[in-house]
């Protein structure tokens, strides 16, 4: 995979045209190594969600370059024709709320992704079981999402994000609904998973409780990113 | 691959089953409406079959005796019996009235027949045929009469001596067979006061009560008090004679209207019940539209309730056709539950209907195809909504 999980260079995103044009992202640069967890922080309206949507290949940036692992996926235009497959196979998503599929049990919520990628049911379920065990929710594998606690749901969401072993995971305020203890537990889990599966994880957050845990932080202000060293405080 | 539709149905099965049952009752009504129409057609065919005739001879210029009133002299059958190709001919009368039994009365079609001739019920389920010239009756089971019951037709009492089945008018009224003479009397019988005043009126007419013409008034009054009319002559043919070849000379020489079985079926099915059939067809269309609207509404609201999940599914790479398939399968599942419930309830409640309800397998299969099509069409609205969901909706606020 090399030294790059994801690299973004001079990324820009403009909404509208002419006098009404708005530059949501002006000059975004960031690099996250495999196994690294970085924080992306910034005030409301600073462009965090827009950046996440660009990185998640759900909206097209106006200009710039994006490299995923060794592959250039965007260079003033998408280099990959099938963005759906790109999202499925190479980008993991963790949302503010877990957003598990309520009518699938825990195992199938995780196994769905490998199945969508074409894996056989048995192999997909084995992969799901392994991930759930690794995230300490293996004992709830046959439970329905509604039967899980908030923390368990978020761990299942993390397992789902890891299901296809993507080089990068985008976590959109994953600790927002959790108390301090559970929020720190989620970050601890993300760090462990990033290291174990050599995945680059970008955590968008406002959460003051978890910001000190990042070793590196990207501040986004007025559509531009500024790299800062984080405290990298150890989580008990 | 996991069946997303199946899992969703299992997850919220009470709502799904209850909705399916509601839809099923609607489908049951739809199948019953089709069954009522089939029953009407079958009743009409049964009426023709049970008359055991090849030709119906009726008053010229009419489409009697079932679709229009028809009146013939009751001696017309004699000359018809002598026509080439005729094996048997018999008079018959039909009129619908309230037949009394004790304090209750039942609507029935009273048929006047000549015992042993065409028009007599082809088979009995109990008792015997009419053997006496007066005051015996054979009734359809649907009248509710039993052997030995005494029933009242106009002023006379009849004893039920036989019971038959599937002998109904095109309107579904069960038949009561009585001797022809009694039927002729019953059809035109007046009350005593009316007879007395009619006699006085005739006697007061100098044209009918001429001095020097003895017996004229008595003859006129006798003819007024008796009825020599019947509604039709039913004709059976000798082997080897085509109905039309026998009908043509009767039309030509006897100045009467003659209908073959094919023509009579056309009159009964295409004309007599045509309005009812259109009425039922309108109901079927309305019920189909209502069913489609219900399925569309249910599937649409179920889809709206899953917008966030659909956004997540799309974001994590689920194909549009997988999502569309999920919604389509749910709509079809709802339709199938509805169809099973509908077919079951229609079968259960069909015997309770006062009129014959004939549920044909072909209609059920056509109904199933219609339900599948309606559900597929009804799901398109929800599919459109689902396909428009932006995967970006799963990210951020």
């Amino acid at each position: 995979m090399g030294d790059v999980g994801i690299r973004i260079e001079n990324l820009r995103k403009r909404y509208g045209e002419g006098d009404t044009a708005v530059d949501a992202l002006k000059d975004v640069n960031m690099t996250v190594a495999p196994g690294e967890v970085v924080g992306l922080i910034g005030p409301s309206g600073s462009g965090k969600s827009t950046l996440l949507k660009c990185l998640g290949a759900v909206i097209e940036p106006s200009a710039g370059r994006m490299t995923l692992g060794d592959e250039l996926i965007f260079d003033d235009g998408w280099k990959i024709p099938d963005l759906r497959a790109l999202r499925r196979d190479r980008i993991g998503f963790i949302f503010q709320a877990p957003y598990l599929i309520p009518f699938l049990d825990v195992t199938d919520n995780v196994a769905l992704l490998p199945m969508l990628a074409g894996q056989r049911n048995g192999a997909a379920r084995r992969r799901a079981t392994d991930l759930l065990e690794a995230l300490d929710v293996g004992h709830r594998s046959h439970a329905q999402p509604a039967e899980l606690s908030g923390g368990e749901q978020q761990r299942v969401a993390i397992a789902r994000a890891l299901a296809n072993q993507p080089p990068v995971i985008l976590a959109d305020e994953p600790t927002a609904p959790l108390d301090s203890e559970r929020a720190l537990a989620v970050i601890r889990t993300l760090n462990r998973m990033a290291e174990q599966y050599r995945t680059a994880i970008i955590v968008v957050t406002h959460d003051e409780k978890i910001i000190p845990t990042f070793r590196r932080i990207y501040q986004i202000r007025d559509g531009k990113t500024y790299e800062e060293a984080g405290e990298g405080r150890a989580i008990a | 691959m996991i069946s997303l539709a199946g899992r969703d149905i299992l997850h919220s099965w009470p709502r799904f089953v209850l909705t399916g049952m509601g839809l099923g009752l609607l489908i049951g009504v739809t199948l019953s409406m089709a069954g009522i129409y089939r029953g009407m057609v079958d009743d009409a065919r049964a009426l023709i079959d049970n008359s055991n005739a090849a030709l119906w001879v009726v008053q010229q210029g009419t489409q009697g005796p079932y679709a229009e009133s028809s009146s013939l002299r009751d001696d017309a059958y004699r000359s018809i019996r002598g026509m080439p190709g005729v094996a048997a001919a018999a008079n018959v009368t039909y009129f619908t009235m309230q037949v009394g039994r004790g304090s209750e009365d039942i609507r029935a079609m009273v048929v006047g027949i000549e015992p042993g001739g065409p028009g007599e019920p082809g088979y009995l389920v109990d008792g015997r045929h009419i053997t006496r010239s007066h005051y015996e009756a054979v009734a359809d089971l649907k009248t509710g009469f039993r052997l030995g019951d005494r029933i009242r037709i106009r002023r006379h009492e009849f004893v039920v001596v036989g019971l038959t089945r599937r002998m109904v008018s095109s309107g579904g009224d069960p038949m009561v067979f009585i001797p022809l003479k009694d039927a002729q009397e019953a059809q035109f019988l007046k009350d005593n006061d009316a007879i007395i005043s009619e006699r006085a009126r005739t006697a007061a007419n100098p044209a009918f009560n001429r001095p020097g013409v003895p017996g004229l008034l008595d003859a006129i009054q006798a003819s007024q008090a008796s009825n020599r009319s019947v509604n039709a002559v039913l004709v059976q043919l000798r082997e080897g004679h085509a109905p039309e070849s026998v009908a043509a000379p009767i039309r030509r020489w006897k100045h009467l209207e003659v209908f073959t079985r094919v023509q009579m079926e056309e009159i009964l099915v295409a004309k007599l019940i045509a309005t009812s059939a259109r009425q039922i067809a309108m109901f079927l269309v309305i019920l189909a539209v209502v069913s489609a609207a219900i399925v569309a509404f249910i599937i649409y609201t179920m889809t709206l309730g899953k917008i966030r999940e659909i956004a997540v599914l799309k974001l994590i790479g689920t194909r549009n056709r997988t999502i569309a398939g999920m919604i389509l399968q749910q709509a079809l599942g709802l339709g199938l539950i509805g169809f099973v419930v509908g077919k079951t309830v229609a079968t259960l409640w069909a015997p309770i209907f006062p009129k014959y309800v004939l549920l044909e397998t072909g209609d059920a299969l056509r109904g199933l195809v219609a339900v599948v099509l309606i559900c597929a069409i009804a799901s398109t609205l929800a599919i459109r909504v689902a396909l428009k969901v932006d995967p970006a909706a799963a990210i951020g606020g």
Side-chain angles (χ1 to χ4, degrees), chain A residues 84 87 99 102 108 121 172, chain B residues 1 7 308 315 317 319 396:
Chain A
R84 182 183 52 76
R87 289 199 301 269
Y99 296 144
D108 285 342
N121 287 9
D172 182 17
Chain B
M1 182 62 193
R7 294 299 179 85
R308 181 67 86 162
L315 185 69
R319 292 173 191 275

Side-chain angles (χ1 to χ4, degrees), chain B residues 20 36 42 82 85 97 102 108 117 125 129 136 139 155 283 305-306 338 356 389:
Chain B
I36 288 168
D42 200 65
M97 63 172 293
V125 291
H129 282 291
E136 284 189 344
R155 286 198 309 236
F283 266 113
K306 289 196 291 270
Y356 182 47
V389 172

Side-chain angles (χ1 to χ4, degrees), chain B residues 199-362:
Chain B
R199 280 180 180 165
R201 201 173 288 122
T202 307
N205 188 333
F208 299 144
N209 193 6
R210 293 182 198 166
V213 188
L216 174 63
L217 180 64
D218 291 340
I220 290 169
Q221 285 178 336
S223 74
Q224 284 176 340
S226 66
N227 172 35
R228 303 292 309 280
S229 295
V230 292
N231 297 122
V233 176
L234 302 183
V235 176
Q236 290 173 342
L237 302 181
R238 290 183 197 284
E239 219 168 286
H241 289 265
E244 195 50 47
S245 69
V246 178
I250 298 175
R251 284 193 202 104
R252 173 79 179 82
W253 299 111
K254 302 298 174 192
H255 309 291
L256 296 168
E257 190 64 72
V258 186
F259 296 111
T260 62
R261 287 178 75 89
V262 174
Q263 290 167 328
M264 191 50 75
E265 195 169 313
E266 168 78 8
I267 290 170
L268 282 173
V269 176
K271 293 179 180 171
L272 192 61
I273 62 173
T275 308
S276 304
R278 281 199 294 274
Q279 184 99 333
I280 288 169
M282 271 305 295
F283 266 113
L284 287 177
V285 170
I286 290 167
L287 287 169
V289 171
V290 171
S291 303
I294 288 175
V295 175
F297 177 74
I298 297 293
I299 295 296
Y300 181 71
T301 50
M302 282 171 74
T303 304
L304 285 187
K306 289 196 291 270
I307 288 294
R308 181 67 86 162
E309 285 80 11
I310 289 170
V312 171
L313 283 170
K314 291 175 97 168
L315 185 69
I316 63 177
T318 309
R319 292 173 191 275
N320 276 344
R321 71 162 180 258
T322 305
I323 292 167
M326 174 179 80
I327 295 167
L328 178 64
Q329 285 170 39
Q330 286 181 338
L332 294 179
L334 201 57
L336 286 177
I337 292 172
F339 181 79
V340 170
V341 172
K343 180 74 179 88
T344 306
V345 295
T347 306
L348 289 176
W349 69 37
I352 306 168
F353 275 74
K355 286 186 78 169
Y356 182 47
V357 179
L358 176 60
L359 299 170
E360 289 190 346
T361 309

Side-chain angles (χ1 to χ4, degrees), chain A residues 32 37 81 93 98-99 167 174 194 220:
Chain A
V32 187
V37 180
F93 295 94
Y99 296 144
I220 183 163

Side-chain angles (χ1 to χ4, degrees), chain A residues 12-35:
Chain A
R12 298 165 65 89
K13 175 64 186 173
R14 170 173 285 190
Y15 289 109
E17 288 176 4
D19 295 342
T20 58
V22 176
D23 288 311
L25 302 176
K26 292 171 185 161
D27 184 20
V28 172
N29 293 281
M30 61 194 297
T31 303
V32 187

Side-chain angles (χ1 to χ4, degrees), chain B residues 39-77:
Chain B
M40 287 167 69
V41 172
D42 200 65
D43 281 349
R45 294 207 170 109
L47 182 60
I48 293 170
D49 290 343
N50 295 335
S51 66
N52 203 17
L55 297 176
W56 283 256
V57 181
V58 298
Q59 182 184 340
Q60 197 173 41
T62 72
Q63 295 195 338
Y66 311 119
E68 290 179 9
S69 66
S70 153
S71 183
L72 303 175
R73 293 297 287 182
D74 61 3
D75 56 1
Y77 82 98

